[in-house]
Amino acid sequence: MGTYMQKIAEIEKEMSKTQKNKATNAHLGSLKAKLAKLRRELLEPSKGGGGAAGAGFDVSKVGDSRIGLVGFPSVGKSTLLNKLTGTFSEVAAYEFTTLTCIPGMIRHNGAKIQLLDLPGIIEGAKDGKGRGRQVISTARTCNLILVVLDAMKPLTHKRMIEYELEGFGIRLNKTPPDITVKKKEKGGLNFHTSEKDGILDQETVEQVLKEYKITHADVAVRGDYTDEDLIDVIEGNRIYTPALYVLNKIDSVSLEELDVLGEMPNFVPISSNKMWNLDLLLDMVWERLNLVRVYTKPRGTMPNFDEPVNLKTGHSTVEDFCNQLHKNMIKQMRHALVWGTSSKHRPQKVGKDHVLQDEDVVQIVKK
Protein backbone atom coordinates (compact mmCIF):
# COMPACT_ATOMS: atom_id res chain seq x y z
CA MET A 1 0.00 0.00 0.00
CA GLY A 2 2.91 2.32 0.81
CA THR A 3 4.13 2.37 -2.80
CA TYR A 4 0.66 3.22 -4.10
CA MET A 5 0.24 6.02 -1.55
CA GLN A 6 3.65 7.43 -2.44
CA LYS A 7 2.83 7.46 -6.17
CA ILE A 8 -0.58 9.05 -5.50
CA ALA A 9 1.05 11.76 -3.37
CA GLU A 10 3.64 12.48 -6.10
CA ILE A 11 0.97 12.84 -8.81
CA GLU A 12 -1.21 15.05 -6.60
CA LYS A 13 1.83 17.24 -5.89
CA GLU A 14 2.61 17.58 -9.60
CA MET A 15 -1.04 18.44 -10.35
CA SER A 16 -1.06 21.14 -7.68
CA LYS A 17 2.05 22.72 -9.21
CA THR A 18 0.71 22.64 -12.80
CA GLN A 19 -1.07 25.78 -13.97
CA LYS A 20 -4.47 25.05 -15.44
CA ASN A 21 -4.87 26.39 -18.98
CA LYS A 22 -5.44 25.12 -22.52
CA ALA A 23 -1.76 24.31 -23.00
CA THR A 24 -1.68 22.04 -19.92
CA ASN A 25 -5.13 20.38 -20.30
CA ALA A 26 -3.75 17.27 -22.01
CA HIS A 27 -0.97 16.83 -19.43
CA LEU A 28 -3.42 17.25 -16.51
CA GLY A 29 -5.79 14.76 -18.16
CA SER A 30 -2.96 12.23 -18.33
CA LEU A 31 -2.12 12.77 -14.65
CA LYS A 32 -5.77 12.37 -13.62
CA ALA A 33 -5.97 9.09 -15.55
CA LYS A 34 -2.84 7.80 -13.77
CA LEU A 35 -4.36 8.82 -10.44
CA ALA A 36 -7.66 7.04 -11.18
CA LYS A 37 -5.81 3.83 -12.11
CA LEU A 38 -3.69 3.92 -8.94
CA ARG A 39 -6.75 4.47 -6.73
CA ARG A 40 -8.56 1.58 -8.43
CA GLU A 41 -5.57 -0.72 -7.91
CA LEU A 42 -5.27 0.40 -4.28
CA LEU A 43 -8.89 -0.54 -3.57
CA GLU A 44 -9.14 -3.71 -5.67
CA PRO A 45 -9.15 -7.12 -3.96
CA SER A 46 -5.63 -8.35 -3.22
CA LYS A 47 -4.40 -11.10 -5.50
CA GLY A 48 -2.55 -12.94 -2.74
CA GLY A 49 -5.71 -14.54 -1.35
CA GLY A 50 -5.94 -12.18 1.60
CA GLY A 51 -9.55 -11.24 0.89
CA ALA A 52 -11.17 -8.20 -0.66
CA ALA A 53 -9.36 -5.00 0.19
CA GLY A 54 -12.37 -2.88 -0.50
CA ALA A 55 -15.05 -5.21 0.89
CA GLY A 56 -17.91 -3.57 2.75
CA PHE A 57 -19.61 -4.57 6.00
CA ASP A 58 -21.58 -7.81 5.75
CA VAL A 59 -25.12 -6.44 6.05
CA SER A 60 -27.91 -8.23 4.16
CA LYS A 61 -29.92 -5.94 1.91
CA VAL A 62 -33.56 -6.16 2.98
CA GLY A 63 -36.64 -4.06 2.27
CA ASP A 64 -37.54 -1.98 -0.77
CA SER A 65 -34.58 0.44 -0.64
CA ARG A 66 -31.35 1.01 1.25
CA ILE A 67 -30.15 4.35 2.67
CA GLY A 68 -26.69 5.00 4.10
CA LEU A 69 -25.90 7.60 6.79
CA VAL A 70 -22.46 9.00 5.97
CA GLY A 71 -20.61 11.65 7.94
CA PHE A 72 -17.72 12.50 10.20
CA PRO A 73 -17.67 11.12 13.76
CA SER A 74 -20.07 12.63 16.32
CA VAL A 75 -22.35 14.52 13.90
CA GLY A 76 -25.45 12.71 15.23
CA LYS A 77 -25.87 9.76 12.84
CA SER A 78 -26.55 7.26 15.64
CA THR A 79 -29.14 9.54 17.28
CA LEU A 80 -30.86 10.00 13.90
CA LEU A 81 -30.98 6.22 13.36
CA ASN A 82 -32.43 5.73 16.85
CA LYS A 83 -35.15 8.35 16.32
CA LEU A 84 -36.15 7.23 12.79
CA THR A 85 -36.10 3.46 13.29
CA GLY A 86 -36.10 2.70 17.01
CA THR A 87 -32.88 0.71 16.47
CA PHE A 88 -30.27 1.16 19.19
CA SER A 89 -26.90 2.45 17.99
CA GLU A 90 -24.60 3.55 20.80
CA VAL A 91 -24.66 7.32 21.24
CA ALA A 92 -22.06 9.42 23.03
CA ALA A 93 -20.52 12.87 22.66
CA TYR A 94 -17.12 11.58 21.56
CA GLU A 95 -15.72 10.33 18.28
CA PHE A 96 -15.93 6.78 16.88
CA THR A 97 -18.78 5.53 19.08
CA THR A 98 -20.07 3.43 16.16
CA LEU A 99 -17.36 0.96 15.15
CA THR A 100 -19.44 -1.27 12.89
CA CYS A 101 -22.41 -0.86 10.55
CA ILE A 102 -25.76 -0.73 12.39
CA PRO A 103 -28.90 -1.47 10.30
CA GLY A 104 -32.41 -0.25 11.10
CA MET A 105 -35.75 -0.22 9.26
CA ILE A 106 -38.03 2.74 8.43
CA ARG A 107 -41.64 2.10 7.43
CA HIS A 108 -42.90 5.01 5.34
CA ASN A 109 -45.80 5.18 2.87
CA GLY A 110 -46.11 1.40 3.00
CA ALA A 111 -42.45 0.84 2.07
CA LYS A 112 -39.74 -0.86 4.11
CA ILE A 113 -36.56 1.24 3.89
CA GLN A 114 -33.32 -0.08 5.34
CA LEU A 115 -31.24 2.60 7.07
CA LEU A 116 -27.54 1.96 7.75
CA ASP A 117 -25.57 3.89 10.36
CA LEU A 118 -22.03 3.70 9.00
CA PRO A 119 -18.97 4.42 11.17
CA GLY A 120 -17.70 7.98 10.95
CA ILE A 121 -15.60 8.88 7.91
CA ILE A 122 -12.20 10.42 8.49
CA GLU A 123 -9.93 12.26 6.08
CA GLY A 124 -8.10 9.73 3.89
CA ALA A 125 -10.99 7.23 3.97
CA LYS A 126 -10.74 6.74 0.21
CA ASP A 127 -7.10 5.69 0.68
CA GLY A 128 -7.98 3.11 3.34
CA LYS A 129 -7.46 5.11 6.55
CA GLY A 130 -9.61 4.16 9.55
CA ARG A 131 -12.43 1.94 8.32
CA GLY A 132 -12.78 4.11 5.24
CA ARG A 133 -12.85 1.34 2.65
CA GLN A 134 -15.59 -0.65 4.39
CA VAL A 135 -17.67 2.49 5.01
CA ILE A 136 -17.52 3.72 1.43
CA SER A 137 -17.86 0.22 -0.09
CA THR A 138 -21.13 -0.21 1.79
CA ALA A 139 -22.21 3.31 0.76
CA ARG A 140 -21.83 2.18 -2.89
CA THR A 141 -24.69 -0.33 -2.36
CA CYS A 142 -27.17 2.34 -1.19
CA ASN A 143 -30.07 3.76 -3.23
CA LEU A 144 -29.73 7.07 -1.41
CA ILE A 145 -27.00 8.60 0.75
CA LEU A 146 -27.74 10.94 3.63
CA VAL A 147 -24.65 13.03 4.28
CA VAL A 148 -25.06 14.07 7.91
CA LEU A 149 -23.35 17.41 8.67
CA ASP A 150 -22.78 19.35 11.88
CA ALA A 151 -24.54 22.71 11.58
CA MET A 152 -21.48 24.38 13.13
CA LYS A 153 -19.17 23.43 10.22
CA PRO A 154 -21.35 22.16 7.38
CA LEU A 155 -19.56 23.41 4.26
CA THR A 156 -16.09 22.28 5.36
CA HIS A 157 -17.37 18.79 6.16
CA LYS A 158 -19.46 18.68 2.97
CA ARG A 159 -16.44 19.35 0.74
CA MET A 160 -14.27 16.82 2.60
CA ILE A 161 -16.89 14.04 2.46
CA GLU A 162 -17.58 14.65 -1.25
CA TYR A 163 -13.83 14.44 -1.90
CA GLU A 164 -13.59 11.11 -0.07
CA LEU A 165 -16.64 9.66 -1.84
CA GLU A 166 -15.44 10.92 -5.25
CA GLY A 167 -12.12 9.16 -4.66
CA PHE A 168 -14.02 5.90 -4.24
CA GLY A 169 -16.06 6.34 -7.42
CA ILE A 170 -19.32 7.61 -5.89
CA ARG A 171 -20.85 10.56 -7.74
CA LEU A 172 -23.50 12.40 -5.71
CA ASN A 173 -26.53 13.96 -7.44
CA LYS A 174 -24.98 13.50 -10.89
CA THR A 175 -26.03 11.62 -14.01
CA PRO A 176 -23.65 9.43 -16.04
CA PRO A 177 -21.84 11.44 -18.76
CA ASP A 178 -23.14 11.01 -22.30
CA ILE A 179 -19.77 9.81 -23.63
CA THR A 180 -19.13 6.62 -25.60
CA VAL A 181 -15.71 5.04 -26.15
CA LYS A 182 -15.71 2.21 -28.70
CA LYS A 183 -12.40 0.40 -29.06
CA LYS A 184 -11.39 -0.90 -32.49
CA GLU A 185 -8.47 -2.80 -33.99
CA LYS A 186 -7.09 -0.04 -36.24
CA GLY A 187 -7.78 3.44 -37.60
CA GLY A 188 -6.44 5.58 -34.75
CA LEU A 189 -8.68 7.96 -32.82
CA ASN A 190 -11.92 9.36 -34.24
CA PHE A 191 -13.13 12.11 -31.91
CA HIS A 192 -16.58 13.71 -32.24
CA THR A 193 -18.07 16.31 -29.92
CA SER A 194 -21.37 18.21 -29.92
CA GLU A 195 -19.68 21.29 -28.39
CA LYS A 196 -17.71 23.72 -30.60
CA ASP A 197 -15.68 25.17 -27.73
CA GLY A 198 -16.04 22.28 -25.31
CA ILE A 199 -13.64 21.53 -22.46
CA LEU A 200 -12.56 18.21 -23.99
CA ASP A 201 -10.38 18.43 -27.09
CA GLN A 202 -8.71 15.76 -29.22
CA GLU A 203 -5.27 16.15 -27.63
CA THR A 204 -6.65 15.69 -24.09
CA VAL A 205 -8.69 12.64 -25.16
CA GLU A 206 -5.61 11.12 -26.81
CA GLN A 207 -3.49 11.59 -23.67
CA VAL A 208 -6.16 10.08 -21.40
CA LEU A 209 -6.68 7.07 -23.71
CA LYS A 210 -2.91 6.59 -23.94
CA GLU A 211 -2.75 6.00 -20.18
CA TYR A 212 -5.23 3.13 -20.68
CA LYS A 213 -3.21 1.79 -23.66
CA ILE A 214 -6.07 2.63 -26.06
CA THR A 215 -4.77 3.88 -29.42
CA HIS A 216 -7.66 2.96 -31.74
CA ALA A 217 -11.15 4.11 -30.73
CA ASP A 218 -14.26 6.05 -31.73
CA VAL A 219 -15.04 8.63 -29.02
CA ALA A 220 -18.33 10.53 -29.07
CA VAL A 221 -18.96 13.34 -26.55
CA ARG A 222 -22.52 14.69 -26.38
CA GLY A 223 -22.33 17.61 -23.98
CA ASP A 224 -19.70 19.80 -22.32
CA TYR A 225 -17.77 17.26 -20.24
CA THR A 226 -14.35 17.22 -18.57
CA ASP A 227 -11.38 14.85 -18.68
CA GLU A 228 -12.59 13.47 -15.32
CA ASP A 229 -15.95 12.52 -16.91
CA LEU A 230 -14.08 10.72 -19.70
CA ILE A 231 -11.99 8.83 -17.12
CA ASP A 232 -15.19 7.83 -15.28
CA VAL A 233 -16.59 6.33 -18.50
CA ILE A 234 -13.37 4.40 -19.24
CA GLU A 235 -13.09 3.11 -15.66
CA GLY A 236 -16.71 1.97 -15.89
CA ASN A 237 -17.17 1.35 -12.15
CA ARG A 238 -18.66 4.65 -11.01
CA ILE A 239 -21.85 4.77 -8.95
CA TYR A 240 -24.28 7.66 -9.52
CA THR A 241 -26.29 8.05 -6.32
CA PRO A 242 -28.82 10.67 -5.19
CA ALA A 243 -27.93 12.37 -1.90
CA LEU A 244 -29.43 14.67 0.70
CA TYR A 245 -27.33 16.83 3.01
CA VAL A 246 -28.82 16.50 6.49
CA LEU A 247 -27.87 19.57 8.50
CA ASN A 248 -28.04 18.31 12.09
CA LYS A 249 -27.91 20.23 15.41
CA ILE A 250 -29.68 23.30 13.98
CA ASP A 251 -30.58 24.24 17.57
CA SER A 252 -26.93 25.33 17.96
CA VAL A 253 -26.88 27.97 15.16
CA SER A 254 -28.60 31.32 14.67
CA LEU A 255 -31.67 31.85 12.49
CA GLU A 256 -29.61 34.04 10.14
CA GLU A 257 -27.09 31.25 9.54
CA LEU A 258 -29.92 28.76 9.06
CA ASP A 259 -31.58 30.99 6.44
CA VAL A 260 -28.36 31.07 4.40
CA LEU A 261 -27.82 27.31 4.60
CA GLY A 262 -31.50 26.64 3.85
CA GLU A 263 -31.11 28.21 0.39
CA MET A 264 -28.64 25.53 -0.70
CA PRO A 265 -29.89 22.66 -2.91
CA ASN A 266 -30.54 19.23 -1.35
CA PHE A 267 -30.10 20.53 2.23
CA VAL A 268 -32.49 19.41 5.01
CA PRO A 269 -32.11 21.22 8.37
CA ILE A 270 -32.95 19.01 11.39
CA SER A 271 -32.24 18.42 15.06
CA SER A 272 -32.23 14.69 15.75
CA ASN A 273 -31.98 15.27 19.51
CA LYS A 274 -35.06 17.51 19.60
CA MET A 275 -36.81 15.67 16.73
CA TRP A 276 -37.18 18.85 14.67
CA ASN A 277 -38.05 18.50 10.98
CA LEU A 278 -37.83 14.68 10.84
CA ASP A 279 -41.13 14.52 8.94
CA LEU A 280 -39.73 16.82 6.23
CA LEU A 281 -36.62 14.62 6.04
CA LEU A 282 -38.74 11.50 5.50
CA ASP A 283 -40.79 13.24 2.79
CA MET A 284 -37.63 14.33 0.95
CA VAL A 285 -36.17 10.81 1.30
CA TRP A 286 -39.33 9.36 -0.23
CA GLU A 287 -39.18 11.82 -3.12
CA ARG A 288 -35.52 10.94 -3.89
CA LEU A 289 -36.08 7.17 -3.74
CA ASN A 290 -38.54 7.34 -6.67
CA LEU A 291 -40.52 4.30 -5.57
CA VAL A 292 -43.73 3.34 -7.36
CA ARG A 293 -46.41 1.89 -5.05
CA VAL A 294 -48.69 -0.66 -6.71
CA TYR A 295 -51.65 -2.22 -4.88
CA THR A 296 -52.79 -5.78 -5.48
CA LYS A 297 -56.45 -6.61 -6.11
CA PRO A 298 -57.36 -10.31 -5.98
CA ARG A 299 -60.50 -11.11 -8.00
CA GLY A 300 -63.75 -10.35 -6.16
CA THR A 301 -62.09 -8.43 -3.30
CA MET A 302 -61.13 -4.88 -2.44
CA PRO A 303 -57.55 -3.70 -3.18
CA ASN A 304 -54.97 -4.24 -0.43
CA PHE A 305 -53.94 -0.67 0.39
CA ASP A 306 -51.97 -1.70 3.50
CA GLU A 307 -49.16 -3.64 1.79
CA PRO A 308 -48.19 -2.10 -1.57
CA VAL A 309 -45.72 -3.74 -3.93
CA ASN A 310 -42.93 -1.17 -4.24
CA LEU A 311 -41.18 -0.92 -7.62
CA LYS A 312 -38.33 1.30 -8.79
CA THR A 313 -39.04 4.09 -11.31
CA GLY A 314 -37.82 2.81 -14.68
CA HIS A 315 -38.53 -0.78 -13.62
CA SER A 316 -42.27 -0.60 -13.04
CA THR A 317 -43.87 -2.65 -15.80
CA VAL A 318 -46.54 -5.29 -15.17
CA GLU A 319 -43.78 -7.87 -15.69
CA ASP A 320 -41.65 -6.23 -12.95
CA PHE A 321 -44.73 -6.28 -10.70
CA CYS A 322 -45.32 -10.02 -11.35
CA ASN A 323 -41.65 -10.88 -10.76
CA GLN A 324 -41.72 -9.14 -7.40
CA LEU A 325 -44.72 -11.23 -6.32
CA HIS A 326 -43.47 -14.60 -7.65
CA LYS A 327 -40.89 -15.63 -10.24
CA ASN A 328 -43.38 -17.91 -12.07
CA MET A 329 -46.37 -15.53 -12.07
CA ILE A 330 -45.50 -13.92 -15.43
CA LYS A 331 -45.69 -17.35 -17.11
CA GLN A 332 -49.18 -17.89 -15.68
CA MET A 333 -50.50 -14.41 -16.63
CA ARG A 334 -53.00 -14.03 -19.46
CA HIS A 335 -53.38 -10.27 -19.00
CA ALA A 336 -53.70 -7.69 -16.22
CA LEU A 337 -56.46 -5.24 -15.26
CA VAL A 338 -55.20 -1.83 -14.15
CA TRP A 339 -56.94 1.02 -12.32
CA GLY A 340 -55.12 4.30 -11.80
CA THR A 341 -53.23 7.11 -13.55
CA SER A 342 -51.48 4.78 -16.02
CA SER A 343 -54.78 3.43 -17.40
CA LYS A 344 -56.82 5.06 -20.20
CA HIS A 345 -60.05 3.68 -18.78
CA ARG A 346 -60.91 1.83 -15.57
CA PRO A 347 -60.04 -0.92 -15.60
CA GLN A 348 -57.78 -1.19 -18.64
CA LYS A 349 -56.76 -4.60 -19.96
CA VAL A 350 -52.97 -4.55 -20.44
CA GLY A 351 -50.01 -6.80 -21.22
CA LYS A 352 -46.70 -7.40 -19.46
CA ASP A 353 -44.97 -4.30 -20.96
CA HIS A 354 -47.50 -1.77 -19.60
CA VAL A 355 -45.71 0.80 -17.38
CA LEU A 356 -47.39 1.25 -13.99
CA GLN A 357 -47.52 4.54 -12.08
CA ASP A 358 -47.59 5.39 -8.38
CA GLU A 359 -50.67 4.05 -6.56
CA ASP A 360 -52.02 2.02 -9.46
CA VAL A 361 -54.19 -1.00 -8.61
CA VAL A 362 -53.48 -4.25 -10.47
CA GLN A 363 -55.38 -7.52 -10.84
CA ILE A 364 -53.57 -10.40 -12.58
CA VAL A 365 -55.80 -12.62 -14.71
CA LYS A 366 -54.24 -16.08 -15.07
CA LYS A 367 -54.42 -18.41 -18.06
Side-chain angles (χ1 to χ4, degrees), residues 205-250:
V205 172
E206 278 178 358
Q207 287 298 317
V208 169
L209 294 181
K210 189 178 175 184
E211 287 301 322
Y212 289 93
K213 297 182 170 56
I214 302 170
T215 50
H216 307 291
D218 293 326
V219 178
V221 178
R222 290 168 288 272
D224 198 8
Y225 295 109
T226 65
D227 47 8
E228 290 171 350
D229 294 318
L230 175 62
I231 291 164
D232 283 352
V233 170
I234 297 169
E235 285 285 333
N237 60 353
R238 304 315 194 213
I239 303 291
Y240 296 85
T241 308
L244 287 172
Y245 297 95
V246 182
L247 193 64
N248 197 17
K249 305 180 185 178
I250 57 170

Side-chain angles (χ1 to χ4, degrees), residues 250-318:
I250 57 170
D251 47 309
S252 60
V253 298
S254 68
L255 283 173
E256 290 77 11
E257 289 173 297
L258 196 55
D259 285 341
V260 172
L261 293 166
E263 295 297 316
M264 303 178 114
N266 303 309
F267 267 74
V268 191
I270 69 156
S271 170
S272 53
N273 260 328
K274 300 196 174 182
M275 297 184 70
W276 291 351
N277 244 9
L278 297 189
D279 288 343
L280 174 64
L281 174 60
L282 285 174
D283 288 343
M284 291 186 73
V285 162
W286 180 259
E287 188 182 303
R288 293 303 191 283
L289 287 175
N290 278 327
L291 291 175
V292 176
R293 292 164 290 177
V294 180
Y295 303 108
T296 56
K297 184 188 181 304
R299 189 174 177 179
T301 65
M302 291 294 290
N304 180 6
F305 291 114
D306 294 325
E307 293 287 334
V309 176
N310 292 288
L311 305 172
K312 305 278 193 305
T313 300
H315 300 279
S316 60
T317 63
V318 170

Side-chain angles (χ1 to χ4, degrees), residues 316-360:
S316 60
T317 63
V318 170
E319 183 173 6
D320 294 320
F321 171 78
C322 289
N323 290 337
Q324 189 126 330
L325 291 173
H326 195 279
K327 62 181 179 180
N328 292 325
M329 182 170 282
I330 193 66
K331 296 175 186 174
Q332 302 166 2
M333 187 187 90
R334 178 181 293 162
H335 60 264
L337 298 176
V338 177
W339 293 258
T341 52
S342 75
S343 60
K344 293 176 183 175
H345 39 269
R346 300 180 183 181
Q348 181 182 351
K349 183 177 168 181
V350 300
K352 66 182 179 67
D353 296 325
H354 178 80
V355 178
L356 300 166
Q357 293 180 12
D358 193 33
E359 298 199 275
D360 276 357

Side-chain angles (χ1 to χ4, degrees), residues 34-47:
K34 285 178 181 173
L35 198 58
K37 285 167 66 183
L38 283 168
R39 285 203 173 124
R40 170 170 35 88
E41 288 164 15
L42 176 68
L43 298 164
E44 272 178 350
S46 59
K47 293 174 183 175

Side-chain angles (χ1 to χ4, degrees), residues 40-320:
R40 170 170 35 88
E41 288 164 15
L42 176 68
L43 298 164
E44 272 178 350
S46 59
K47 293 174 183 175
F57 296 99
D58 186 16
V59 181
S60 298
K61 195 169 184 178
V62 295
D64 301 301
S65 275
R66 170 181 273 193
I67 300 172
L69 294 174
V70 174
F72 281 98
S74 296
V75 292
K77 300 191 310 300
S78 297
T79 305
L80 185 58
L81 178 82
N82 295 348
K83 294 291 166 69
L84 290 177
T85 68
T87 301
F88 179 74
S89 177
E90 192 176 343
V91 178
Y94 53 84
E95 296 189 347
F96 302 110
T97 312
T98 306
L99 298 174
T100 185
C101 179
I102 310 290
M105 188 69 73
I106 303 171
R107 289 180 175 269
H108 189 66
N109 286 344
K112 295 174 185 174
I113 303 166
Q114 187 181 41
L115 186 63
L116 303 181
D117 176 16
L118 297 167
I121 282 184
I122 61 170
E123 268 192 281
K126 68 184 186 313
D127 301 322
K129 288 186 183 176
R131 306 201 72 178
R133 291 188 197 179
Q134 294 99 317
V135 172
I136 305 179
S137 288
T138 304
R140 283 173 66 93
T141 69
C142 295
N143 305 106
L144 175 69
I145 291 176
L146 299 184
V147 179
V148 186
L149 303 168
D150 189 326
M152 299 295 286
K153 40 193 169 183
L155 299 182
T156 307
H157 278 187
K158 176 179 181 285
R159 280 192 293 270
M160 290 163 73
I161 288 170
E162 285 173 343
Y163 181 69
E164 297 300 330
L165 294 176
E166 287 264 334
F168 213 92
I170 298 175
R171 304 291 178 257
L172 300 182
N173 296 325
K174 291 181 181 177
T175 54
D178 194 357
I179 299 174
T180 53
V181 179
K182 291 184 181 176
K183 296 180 194 176
K184 53 188 184 180
E185 291 184 8
K186 56 184 179 179
L189 173 66
N190 286 326
F191 173 64
H192 302 281
T193 177
S194 63
E195 304 293 314
K196 274 189 177 181
D197 299 309
I199 297 169
L200 273 178
D201 56 28
Q202 179 138 347
E203 187 186 357
T204 305
V205 172
E206 278 178 358
Q207 287 298 317
V208 169
L209 294 181
K210 189 178 175 184
E211 287 301 322
Y212 289 93
K213 297 182 170 56
I214 302 170
T215 50
H216 307 291
D218 293 326
V219 178
V221 178
R222 290 168 288 272
D224 198 8
Y225 295 109
T226 65
D227 47 8
E228 290 171 350
D229 294 318
L230 175 62
I231 291 164
D232 283 352
V233 170
I234 297 169
E235 285 285 333
N237 60 353
R238 304 315 194 213
I239 303 291
Y240 296 85
T241 308
L244 287 172
Y245 297 95
V246 182
L247 193 64
N248 197 17
K249 305 180 185 178
I250 57 170
D251 47 309
S252 60
V253 298
S254 68
L255 283 173
E256 290 77 11
E257 289 173 297
L258 196 55
D259 285 341
V260 172
L261 293 166
E263 295 297 316
M264 303 178 114
N266 303 309
F267 267 74
V268 191
I270 69 156
S271 170
S272 53
N273 260 328
K274 300 196 174 182
M275 297 184 70
W276 291 351
N277 244 9
L278 297 189
D279 288 343
L280 174 64
L281 174 60
L282 285 174
D283 288 343
M284 291 186 73
V285 162
W286 180 259
E287 188 182 303
R288 293 303 191 283
L289 287 175
N290 278 327
L291 291 175
V292 176
R293 292 164 290 177
V294 180
Y295 303 108
T296 56
K297 184 188 181 304
R299 189 174 177 179
T301 65
M302 291 294 290
N304 180 6
F305 291 114
D306 294 325
E307 293 287 334
V309 176
N310 292 288
L311 305 172
K312 305 278 193 305
T313 300
H315 300 279
S316 60
T317 63
V318 170
E319 183 173 6
D320 294 320

